[in-house]
Amino acid sequence: MEHELKEIIKKCDTAIKEEDFDTLMNYYTEDAILVVKPGRIARGKNEIKKAFIEISKYFNNSIVPAQGEMIILEAGDTALVLSQTLLDADKEDSEFSMERKATYVFKKNSNAEWLCAIDNSYGTDLLSN
Amino acid sequence: MEHELKEIIKKCDTAIKEEDFDTLMNYYTEDAILVVKPGRIARGKNEIKKAFIEISKYFNNSIVPAQGEMIILEAGDTALVLSQTLLDADKEDSEFSMERKATYVFKKNSNAEWLCAIDNSYGTDLLSN
């Protein structure tokens, strides 16, 4: 059986593909952050939802995210997911990398549901050196 | 003023250099994990302390960790630290990289103290692709 986090991330990818951002927001904590692009962070569900609408538009509403190799480092109610994230879209001139080594931090809430607290698809590439 | 997490990580680096592992353990959660090396994880303070003793010995008790560029992604009581981690040691033939792009996950406890939950100095290099 796959790790439940793998299933959740798959559901998030489907929601992004279908532009169902209300469903997507169910998988984020209230005070989650999303690294929209290097140097720009969206804070809280409202800003994150708006950022995803913008990102979808940027990619001509054709974005299809998928995960390749994934490593889940779990410590009690906290997990760090390292994931090869692949973005496909009908856009030839994206200024952003379409293949990333992402870092996602998830937290288990009191209902034992995993929610994303930190969504950083750029991983350690945010470091300049 | 520096971010308090930067100060805490500096204190951890000093404790590692001085091999003061009891002090070091004060900065970890009870169920923290440490990626000792790719494929090997230490779970809980006891195992983590033992691993640090082993690591120090491997590096001829001369290890000096330091952090270069650091990015702190904070979301409420959870933070993901991306850090250029530099290891110096009197050992010429280490099989491990001495310059890493580390990923550390910290959690704030009920006393508002940041504790390390996931210590992965290898960052996304754990992914093989």
Side-chain angles (χ1 to χ4, degrees):
Chain A
M1 208 187 77
E2 284 196 326
H3 194 288
E4 51 185 336
L5 271 171
K6 214 164 178 171
E7 293 296 332
I8 288 168
I9 292 169
K10 210 176 273 178
K11 283 179 188 165
C12 290
D13 286 343
T14 302
I16 292 169
K17 185 185 160 216
E18 295 175 351
E19 300 187 30
D20 180 0
F21 302 120
D22 287 323
T23 295
L24 182 63
M25 285 313 106
N26 292 334
Y27 297 103
Y28 285 85
T29 64
E30 289 302 327
D31 52 9
I33 62 171
L34 165 75
V35 181
V36 183
K37 58 183 180 182
R40 193 176 146 212
I41 287 173
R43 289 186 184 280
K45 293 193 184 203
N46 256 347
E47 281 186 31
I48 293 174
K49 188 178 162 183
K50 275 186 204 160
F52 270 112
I53 292 170
E54 243 181 79
I55 291 166
S56 287
K57 209 173 156 189
Y58 176 83
F59 285 110
N60 301 323
N61 300 88
S62 66
I63 197 164
V64 181
Q67 313 298 316
E69 189 189 353
M70 194 181 282
I71 290 174
I72 296 168
L73 300 172
E74 201 177 333
D77 62 358
T78 308
L80 172 62
V81 180
L82 310 172
S83 185
Q84 188 192 20
T85 297
L86 309 154
L87 296 179
D88 192 21
D90 285 337
K91 183 174 179 77
E92 282 175 12
D93 55 346
S94 167
E95 58 176 306
F96 305 106
S97 172
M98 303 300 274
E99 194 179 321
R100 304 179 186 175
K101 290 184 174 178
T103 49
Y104 308 122
V105 179
F106 280 80
K107 280 165 57 178
K108 225 178 222 170
N109 68 10
S110 51
N111 297 325
E113 297 162 331
W114 287 107
L115 298 176
C116 184
I118 301 168
D119 182 341
N120 170 33
S121 67
Y122 298 92
T124 57
D125 284 352
L126 292 183
L127 295 168
S128 54
N129 295 310
Chain B
M1 209 187 79
E2 285 197 326
H3 193 289
E4 51 186 335
L5 271 171
K6 215 163 177 173
E7 292 296 331
I8 287 167
I9 292 170
K10 210 176 276 179
K11 283 179 188 165
C12 290
D13 285 343
T14 302
I16 292 169
K17 184 186 160 213
E18 294 176 350
E19 300 186 30
D20 180 0
F21 301 120
D22 287 323
T23 295
L24 182 63
M25 285 312 106
N26 292 333
Y27 297 103
Y28 285 85
T29 63
E30 289 303 325
D31 53 10
I33 62 169
L34 165 75
V35 180
V36 183
K37 58 183 181 182
R40 191 176 147 216
I41 286 173
R43 290 188 181 276
K45 293 194 183 203
N46 255 349
E47 280 186 33
I48 292 174
K49 187 178 161 183
K50 273 186 207 161
F52 270 112
I53 292 170
E54 240 181 79
I55 291 166
S56 287
K57 208 173 156 188
Y58 176 82
F59 285 110
N60 302 322
N61 300 89
S62 66
I63 198 165
V64 182
Q67 313 297 317
E69 190 190 353
M70 192 182 284
I71 290 174
I72 297 168
L73 300 172
E74 202 176 331
D77 63 358
T78 308
L80 172 62
V81 180
L82 310 172
S83 186
Q84 187 192 21
T85 296
L86 309 153
L87 295 179
D88 192 22
D90 285 336
K91 183 174 177 81
E92 283 174 12
D93 55 345
S94 167
E95 59 177 306
F96 305 105
S97 172
M98 302 302 271
E99 194 179 322
R100 304 179 187 175
K101 290 185 174 177
T103 51
Y104 308 123
V105 179
F106 280 81
K107 282 167 56 179
K108 225 178 222 172
N109 68 9
S110 50
N111 297 324
E113 297 162 331
W114 285 107
L115 298 176
C116 184
I118 301 168
D119 182 342
N120 169 31
S121 67
Y122 299 92
T124 56
D125 284 351
L126 292 183
L127 296 167
S128 54
N129 297 310

